[in-house]
Amino acid sequence: MRVLVVEDEERLARTIQRGLELEGFVVQLAHTGPDGLWAASEDAFDVIVLDIMLPGLSGYEVLRRLRARDVTTPVLMLTAKDGDYEQADALDLGADDYLTKPFSFVVLIARLRALLRRRSPQRPALLAAGDLVLDPARRTVRRGDTLLTLTPREFGLLEFLLRHQGLALTKSEILRNVWDAHYDGPENVVEVYVGYLRKKIDVPFGRTSIETLRGVGYRMIDAGGQGDDESGPAPR
């Protein structure tokens, strides 16, 4: 899940980013109102964490402009202000939830997950390709009766592939959605993590569920039994 955090206190923003990434979220940061407005308008996120006191444009104004542009992404307002009027103003402008600093990170995670559940009720509870089953809510992955252990990045990559099962996905698309919209490192990091995934979800079971599409990227297929990758050799 992709989260935009618009927070001018850079230390707090980085702390939130690290914590969310450990929970499997992909996080993009913005530190001013105009930067947050641009990111939220130009890119797709599952939820936005928006501070009220921001340089350039207040969080209230960012939210007002987003809703005026028909950006319906759920917004959780994060602020040092604590009062009924501030909370009412945020909700009246179109905020979906409100959290006051200092806050419990456990509560922040719980509220974000609640917003995501309300946002996407149509998403299946389980994602599957053959007997490979990923449970987004419980953050578990099984191949048949075998419970698999994945790192947060491996889990995020597998979830993205499963949500787009059957579609050809380029490395840049994967980086944009599983790493970060502003990731500027080498693209072969995708090959490395696809290799890690294959060693955990496919190789021990004699399966091939992630196809390599030479010159394009990768595709998740429903490999209910044994399969061969006919599109080219798997990356090392």
Side-chain angles (χ1 to χ4, degrees):
M1 299 297 181
R2 303 191 70 232
V3 181
L4 173 64
V5 176
V6 189
E7 168 60 65
D8 65 321
E9 296 179 42
E10 294 194 19
R11 186 173 179 179
L12 174 59
R14 295 293 179 188
T15 299
I16 294 173
Q17 180 183 33
R18 287 194 297 271
L20 291 177
E21 287 177 344
L22 288 173
E23 293 293 324
F25 292 90
V26 176
V27 183
Q28 182 173 329
L29 299 181
H31 300 298
T32 69
D35 286 347
L37 178 62
W38 182 88
S41 301
E42 297 298 320
D43 211 343
F45 295 93
D46 294 290
V47 66
I48 299 169
V49 177
L50 179 62
D51 189 25
I52 287 180
M53 302 299 289
L54 292 168
L57 290 174
S58 72
Y60 290 134
E61 183 61 19
V62 171
L63 179 59
R64 187 190 69 77
R65 296 190 189 188
L66 287 176
R67 296 311 188 223
R69 297 177 186 182
D70 293 325
V71 177
T72 60
T73 308
V75 173
L76 184 148
M77 301 296 285
L78 188 64
T79 177
K81 289 190 172 184
D82 185 14
D84 292 341
Y85 288 106
E86 286 78 10
Q87 183 173 355
D89 287 343
L91 295 174
D92 286 343
L93 285 169
D96 299 271
D97 203 351
Y98 188 100
L99 193 58
T100 303
K101 304 174 187 175
F103 58 88
S104 163
F105 194 77
V106 172
V107 173
L108 173 63
I109 291 292
R111 291 193 175 187
L112 290 180
R113 294 200 185 282
L115 288 178
L116 292 168
R117 286 195 298 271
R118 294 202 295 269
R119 170 72 171 180
S120 304
Q122 77 282 3
R123 285 181 172 172
L126 300 177
L127 301 172
D131 62 351
L132 177 66
V133 180
L134 181 147
D135 186 332
R138 293 183 173 84
R139 298 196 63 77
T140 60
V141 178
R142 291 181 177 275
R143 171 69 84 179
D145 295 328
T146 304
L147 181 65
L148 307 179
T149 302
L150 304 184
T151 66
R153 185 75 74 191
E154 291 166 352
F155 188 95
L157 174 57
L158 180 59
E159 182 175 3
F160 184 67
L161 291 171
L162 284 169
R163 288 196 184 279
H164 299 82
Q165 187 174 165
L167 301 179
L169 301 170
T170 65
K171 291 179 183 177
S172 60
E173 287 175 318
I174 293 172
L175 286 171
R176 183 179 180 85
N177 287 277
V178 181
W179 271 257
D180 187 281
H182 299 296
Y183 174 83
D184 59 0
E187 284 193 344
N188 66 4
V189 69
V190 177
E191 297 178 11
V192 172
Y193 273 86
V194 167
Y196 292 159
L197 265 186
R198 283 175 166 149
K199 290 177 181 177
K200 291 183 178 182
I201 69 172
D202 282 344
V203 174
F205 306 94
R207 308 294 177 84
T208 302
S209 58
I210 305 175
E211 287 187 327
T212 299
L213 304 176
R214 187 174 299 152
V216 179
Y218 300 95
R219 177 169 57 205
M220 173 66 70
I221 61 172
D222 185 345
Q226 297 188 70
D228 294 315
D229 185 350
E230 298 178 354
S231 301
R236 293 179 294 175

